[in-house]
Amino acid sequence: AGITSHDVVSVLRAALRIKKIGHTGTLDPFATGVLPMAIGPSTRLIQFLDESIKVYEGTVSLGQKTDTGDLMGEVVEEKAVPDLNANDVQVALDQFCGERMQKPPAYSAVKVRGKALYKYARAGESVEVPARKIRIDSMELLALRETEIDVRATCGRGTYIRVLAEEIGLALGTCGHLSSLRRTVSGPFRMEDA
């Protein structure tokens, strides 16, 4: 946690003294977990990797919404958190499964006119981005506390868990943001094999 995916590339370039290094999918700086790297000539093979399945485990903090959708942002809204039980939370999570549309967050690496969205957001500029089709295979409640839930999401590439955390907060009658995230699977690469 605390470094960008590009920072990881830079560290490997310096350590291995190889310029051509790339990763297969950006992780937010606060996130941890699987970040597959391709080194040297293998970078051209990234496009052929089957990354149709990703698995994330995260904590959704309820009652506060942030401008970034995660713990790194400023709180922009607060709401009371209703009394929740595990069954009701799981029912709410299940409604997110299947194919659906999702708009990338303002603080993301998605590029518009050659510039990452987070650069526009940091400059106070609002940029309209169309929603994209995503797929969520399963959502599982791992733990329920008074103002936090731990979830496991199995999904397709391009899914923003930060956006999902905000949507989960709304579905539970409050607001929320993502306070931790760990990618445990990225295509054929699994945490236990790392």
Side-chain angles (χ1 to χ4, degrees), residues 10-184:
S10 295
V11 167
L12 286 176
R13 281 181 180 149
L16 300 174
R17 295 190 172 109
I18 295 174
K19 274 195 165 194
K20 202 167 187 181
I21 297 179
H23 59 78
T24 65
T26 304
L27 272 177
D28 287 331
F30 73 92
T32 62
V34 177
L35 181 66
M37 307 298 289
I39 299 169
S42 67
T43 54
R44 63 186 171 81
L45 301 176
I46 288 174
Q47 63 183 322
F48 301 111
L49 280 175
D50 177 11
E51 286 206 300
S52 59
I53 294 182
K54 301 204 184 238
V55 179
Y56 295 92
E57 292 180 2
T59 299
V60 180
S61 291
L62 301 170
Q64 290 186 328
K65 178 180 179 175
T66 66
D67 57 356
T68 59
D70 60 39
L71 73 164
M72 306 300 287
E74 299 291 323
V75 175
V76 294
E77 182 181 356
E78 293 191 78
K79 275 187 172 178
V81 179
D83 288 334
L84 300 169
N85 65 60
N87 186 59
D88 290 342
V89 173
Q90 187 60 59
V91 167
L93 294 176
D94 288 342
Q95 76 181 359
F96 293 101
C97 294
E99 285 191 352
R100 52 199 303 264
M101 300 301 284
Q102 184 186 67
K103 202 173 206 176
Y107 286 88
S108 69
V110 171
K111 291 191 175 167
V112 173
R113 298 186 298 274
K115 187 172 165 183
L117 282 178
Y118 69 84
K119 291 184 178 179
Y120 289 107
R122 286 181 185 155
E125 298 176 46
S126 181
V127 178
E128 193 58 38
V129 182
R132 300 170 172 196
K133 187 184 282 189
I134 63 162
R135 186 192 81 245
I136 299 177
D137 299 320
S138 66
M139 292 286 296
E140 180 185 351
L141 176 65
L142 300 176
L144 169 64
R145 295 175 293 285
E146 201 171 305
T147 60
E148 289 184 329
I149 60 170
D150 294 340
V151 297
R152 178 182 297 124
T154 302
C155 56
R157 69 181 305 162
T159 303
Y160 283 91
I161 306 301
R162 283 182 287 141
V163 174
L164 197 55
E166 291 178 325
E167 294 172 332
I168 290 167
L170 288 173
L172 296 175
T174 183
C175 55
H177 67 275
L178 193 63
S179 56
S180 75
L181 183 65
R182 183 173 193 79
R183 184 162 58 196
T184 59

